[in-house]
Amino acid sequence: MKIRSIVYIIFLFVLSMQAQRQSILETPEEVTGYHMIPQEKMFIHYNTSLLFVGEYLYYNVYNFTTDDNLLSSISKIAYVVLVNEKGKSVFKHKIKLDKGLGQGDFFVPVSIPSGNYKLIGYTQWMLNTEGSFFEGDISILNPYQVDQDVILSKNDSLINPVAKELKKTSHKEVDANIKSTIKLSSDYETYKKRTRVELAIENESLEGGTFSISVRRKEVFKNTNVFTSKEFLDKYTDISKKLNLSPGSSVFLPEMRGELIYGKIIPKEPSFTVSDQNIALSMPGKSSDIKIVSTDKEGNFVFNLNNRNIKNQIWIEVFEEGRENYNIVIDEIPEIDYKNLEFYKFKISKSLKDYIEKRSVHNQIETNFYSVKPDTIKQPDFVLPFYGNKEIETYVLDDYTRFKTVRETILEIVDGVWIKKDNNNKSVFGVRTNYPEQKKDNFPLLLIVDDVIVQHHEDVIAYSASKIKSIGYIKDRYYLGTRVFDGVIIIKTIEEDFFNALNYSSDSPVVLADLQDDKQYFGQQYDKDKIYSRIPDYRYQLLWRPNFTINKKKTNITFFTSDVVGDFEVSLEGFTTNGIPVSIKKNISVE
């Protein structure tokens, strides 16, 4: 394990010097390092293979190494994409992986047409092996669109094909992995509306593991089955090995330290150089971050984001004089080839019209009452600000007499900061740093407003002081990537809308793909909370719990039924700590 860790460090050090998404293996040693890092494979447990508009797709990601079938600690980012039969993406999610595990969800809007789709999952590291990405079939039914020819069958024999079989379905568990020592049971087989259900998960061998569980109304349609963990292990046992590469070959890097954002600067005139240009990134929010990197000889650059928050906007700009001479292009998500995908052909008949209308009404009611049944985002661990533990002296302006202008405010209130003229006779901020004897170095000051770098100091100086909440500064010399600064000024506006109010369009924010955060999904309660007694409850998804561990002999999970009657499927998927798949399904009834 120690040798592998050393290989990781050497491998990343060499490749971090190259900013393109695919990097060149220059030497035999780099090729050896590449082959010593195991490849990955991914399983996604998703709650259903059929979704109506107004419903949620829930999914749980398990990322493994192929050499030992254990959860991978290599990649920190996974990609989950839903694509249609034309290969066009419906959504692209980035998933934060913690020791190989992640989760996400997607609300199906009315803009998505009825049809057949594929749920795709992969890491950037997996792109070095053909056919290693995860794929699962999902069908979507949009009852609000007029044209249903894609899924409409002319054969009325499709009337309620599953419902006829449910009466014969055993309520006993069906274990897809006979060797599993984990058992699933419920306190009863049949339940009334809005009653408590208790599931018991028994772990006979006391072998731990991580699992996800779904309880959902069984479909009256003939839809494809959800891909199971046992089927995954069987299908991906013999993933083709990585290509036998040699010096000069290109490979995709593993995102081992966080989310990699690739980009390139494009000069507006051929005479403008693209090499060794400083590029600044600002990431507003609670986990705010500031970074500066340099471009390579082709104008490529790459940022590593360790703690991106739920905000999808970042600011990227050339941090140089003449920055208006360049355009920036972002290459955010590594794409894969979807042309060989084979889609399940989901069909409906006109005979199911009444059921479709009823379920659509139920979904509309649930959507309208979402505000009283919200999911909650798990709060992330505390993250140090970009300046680390450096001491910052902050002036909250409401604690002082307010002045009309920023210039007056700096002069009368903020001790240690002043406004001066630079070599171009422009007004800029200055800080009395702890290094007065080195002023001859003439390092600039770093100005941050609402967590974003501001290079035009005059825009801030001309801003209304009444809109500013606080002004803080750091007196220490600050090193950021390839640049050195004599002090940092950090300004917060009251509404945190400096760039909107100023119509700051020179460097519009880049909108990144959704980075899914861990959630605590809403659990309906009826034995304690009386406030729900008068609220409609038309949940078809009674329970979704991702990433829970089982490390004791018996684990109990409780939930409540809704006003929807019929047969429900309990699906437990996951893997033990030794990589053994567990796939258990059980039926319960609500009447």
Side-chain angles (χ1 to χ4, degrees):
M1 194 68 183
K2 183 177 179 181
I3 296 176
R4 179 176 294 174
S5 299
I6 295 174
V7 173
Y8 289 172
I9 296 171
I10 296 174
F11 185 62
L12 285 175
F13 174 77
V14 173
L15 295 184
S16 65
M17 306 302 294
Q18 304 176 57
Q20 301 178 65
R21 186 174 290 281
Q22 281 187 281
S23 297
I24 307 298
L25 300 177
E26 301 283 1
T27 66
E29 289 75 18
E30 292 177 29
V31 174
T32 300
Y34 164 78
H35 283 293
M36 290 187 68
I37 301 179
Q39 188 48 267
E40 295 175 317
K41 59 183 178 182
M42 183 181 298
F43 171 70
I44 300 178
H45 177 207
Y46 47 105
N47 62 323
T48 180
S49 63
L50 175 61
L51 289 161
F52 274 53
V53 163
E55 297 180 347
Y56 275 90
L57 169 69
Y58 298 106
Y59 61 85
N60 201 63
V61 175
Y62 302 81
N63 192 41
F64 300 90
T65 51
T66 56
D67 61 343
D68 54 15
N69 290 322
L70 299 181
L71 290 171
S72 173
S73 59
I74 299 174
S75 294
K76 298 299 185 292
I77 297 292
Y79 300 90
V80 176
V81 184
L82 187 69
V83 298
N84 61 23
E85 292 186 84
K86 296 180 180 179
K88 303 296 183 181
S89 62
V90 174
F91 70 75
K92 298 178 180 179
H93 287 172
K94 287 186 176 182
I95 311 298
K96 293 183 292 186
L97 295 178
D98 182 8
K99 297 178 182 178
L101 297 170
Q103 59 172 279
D105 58 60
F106 175 72
F107 178 78
V108 183
V110 294
S111 59
I112 298 180
S114 297
N116 300 295
Y117 297 80
K118 280 284 188 180
L119 186 67
I120 306 295
Y122 57 96
T123 64
Q124 181 164 288
W125 185 233
M126 288 167 60
L127 299 183
N128 296 310
T129 303
E130 294 182 2
S132 61
F133 60 85
F134 174 88
E135 59 175 289
D137 284 292
I138 289 178
S139 302
I140 292 178
L141 200 162
N142 184 344
Y144 306 109
Q145 71 179 48
V146 177
D147 184 6
Q148 301 286 354
D149 287 346
V150 174
I151 62 172
L152 186 61
S153 172
K154 297 179 181 179
N155 184 359
D156 249 13
S157 64
L158 287 176
I159 299 175
N160 225 9
V162 175
K164 293 179 180 179
E165 301 172 3
L166 292 184
K167 299 303 181 181
K168 303 176 183 178
T169 302
S170 171
H171 288 78
K172 295 181 180 180
E173 71 175 40
V174 179
D175 191 344
N177 181 12
I178 300 175
K179 296 180 180 179
S180 172
T181 57
I182 294 177
K183 304 299 179 183
L184 174 67
S185 62
S186 59
D187 50 351
Y188 299 100
E189 293 184 355
T190 303
Y191 300 85
K192 299 294 184 182
K193 298 177 183 177
R194 301 193 179 199
T195 58
R196 177 189 176 99
V197 180
E198 183 167 312
L199 301 176
I201 304 173
E202 297 179 73
N203 184 5
E204 296 178 359
S205 67
L206 293 180
E207 181 184 356
T210 304
F211 304 88
S212 44
I213 190 168
S214 170
V215 181
R216 186 175 178 84
R217 172 69 155 80
K218 298 195 74 169
E219 293 296 348
V220 302
F221 304 93
K222 187 174 179 58
N223 56 302
T224 186
N225 294 325
V226 172
F227 203 63
T228 69
S229 57
K230 179 64 167 56
E231 291 170 334
F232 159 77
L233 196 66
D234 292 340
K235 180 177 179 179
Y236 291 93
T237 297
D238 299 320
I239 286 182
S240 57
K241 296 182 178 179
K242 292 179 289 187
L243 300 177
N244 187 18
L245 303 181
S246 58
S249 300
S250 298
V251 297
F252 290 93
L253 305 181
E255 294 179 277
M256 296 181 68
R257 295 177 293 173
E259 179 184 4
L260 296 179
I261 306 296
Y262 295 82
K264 186 173 185 176
I265 60 172
I266 309 297
K268 296 180 179 179
E269 298 289 342
S271 59
F272 301 143
T273 180
V274 297
S275 63
D276 295 322
Q277 299 290 324
N278 289 311
I279 311 297
L281 177 146
S282 306
M283 184 175 66
K286 291 183 178 180
S287 302
S288 63
D289 201 0
I290 304 290
K291 296 179 184 293
I292 295 179
V293 298
S294 293
T295 59
D296 65 12
K297 62 182 180 180
E298 302 295 334
N300 299 300
F301 60 87
V302 59
F303 287 101
N304 183 78
L305 303 185
N306 303 92
N307 296 293
R308 204 235 292 187
N309 47 52
I310 60 175
K311 289 187 176 181
N312 291 345
Q313 291 187 345
I314 59 174
W315 294 71
I316 297 179
E317 61 181 335
V318 178
F319 195 81
E320 301 285 355
E321 291 292 335
R323 50 191 168 272
E324 66 279 358
N325 297 326
Y326 301 91
N327 291 320
I328 295 178
V329 178
I330 300 298
D331 175 20
E332 186 195 352
I333 293 184
E335 299 288 352
I336 62 177
D337 189 355
Y338 302 126
K339 65 182 180 181
N340 293 323
L341 294 177
E342 296 181 2
F343 290 78
Y344 176 80
K345 300 301 181 182
F346 169 73
K347 295 293 181 180
I348 63 173
S349 74
K350 292 182 180 180
S351 307
L352 293 170
K353 178 177 178 293
D354 291 342
Y355 173 81
I356 292 173
E357 289 179 350
K358 180 180 178 181
R359 181 160 163 180
S360 298
V361 170
H362 288 171
N363 287 335
Q364 290 181 49
I365 294 173
E366 281 298 294
T367 300
N368 290 336
F369 282 94
Y370 176 78
S371 60
V372 296
K373 305 176 182 181
D375 302 323
T376 56
I377 296 176
K378 296 179 182 178
Q379 294 300 314
D381 296 333
F382 172 75
V383 178
L384 282 173
F386 73 93
Y387 50 80
N389 290 312
K390 288 184 178 294
E391 183 178 351
I392 177 171
E393 188 166 348
T394 302
Y395 293 79
V396 179
L397 299 191
D398 279 348
D399 294 341
Y400 303 86
T401 301
R402 282 278 187 175
F403 293 88
K404 291 183 178 180
T405 67
V406 171
R407 192 180 294 271
E408 290 176 300
T409 301
I410 294 296
L411 178 65
E412 300 293 339
I413 297 177
V414 186
D415 186 31
V417 176
W418 79 99
I419 296 174
K420 60 181 180 177
K421 294 289 184 178
D422 65 6
N423 295 334
N424 297 318
N425 202 34
K426 293 182 178 181
S427 295
V428 296
F429 290 96
V431 170
R432 296 181 178 88
T433 68
N434 293 327
Y435 304 95
E437 70 281 2
Q438 298 184 34
K439 285 292 183 181
K440 64 180 186 301
D441 293 332
N442 197 29
F443 293 126
L445 175 138
L446 180 62
L447 175 62
I448 310 293
V449 179
D450 292 340
D451 301 321
V452 177
I453 293 176
V454 175
Q455 299 190 59
H456 303 278
H457 290 205
E458 291 179 330
D459 290 341
V460 181
I461 295 171
Y463 193 67
S464 173
S466 64
K467 298 180 180 180
I468 294 178
K469 178 181 180 181
S470 64
I471 300 176
Y473 66 92
I474 298 172
K475 296 189 294 183
D476 289 335
R477 178 159 288 170
Y478 187 73
Y479 299 86
L480 183 61
T482 56
R483 298 299 298 266
V484 181
F485 298 94
D486 268 336
V488 182
I489 292 181
I490 301 172
I491 296 176
K492 289 282 189 180
T493 64
I494 295 173
E495 301 294 334
E496 296 190 12
D497 63 347
F498 172 78
F499 297 95
N500 292 333
L502 206 61
N503 194 22
Y504 204 78
S505 60
S506 60
D507 298 292
S508 57
V510 175
V511 180
L512 300 177
D514 291 336
L515 183 64
Q516 298 289 289
D517 280 89
D518 290 349
K519 290 182 180 179
Q520 185 70 47
Y521 290 102
F522 176 78
Q524 182 68 64
Q525 299 282 328
Y526 284 116
D527 54 351
K528 298 178 181 178
D529 298 326
K530 303 298 183 182
I531 60 174
Y532 295 105
S533 61
R534 300 176 64 88
I535 295 176
D537 186 357
Y538 294 113
R539 291 173 295 126
Y540 284 70
Q541 184 79 41
L542 299 183
L543 175 69
W544 172 255
R545 185 173 297 181
N547 284 343
F548 69 92
T549 57
I550 298 176
N551 50 23
K552 54 185 180 180
K553 189 171 183 178
K554 188 174 183 180
T555 300
N556 292 323
I557 294 178
T558 60
F559 62 91
F560 282 79
T561 61
S562 65
D563 294 330
V564 177
V565 298
D567 287 313
F568 288 75
E569 182 180 76
V570 182
S571 174
L572 175 70
E573 297 285 346
F575 300 83
T576 67
T577 52
N578 290 327
I580 298 175
V582 175
S583 181
I584 304 174
K585 299 185 186 302
K586 173 182 173 54
N587 295 319
I588 61 173
S589 296
V590 179
E591 53 181 40

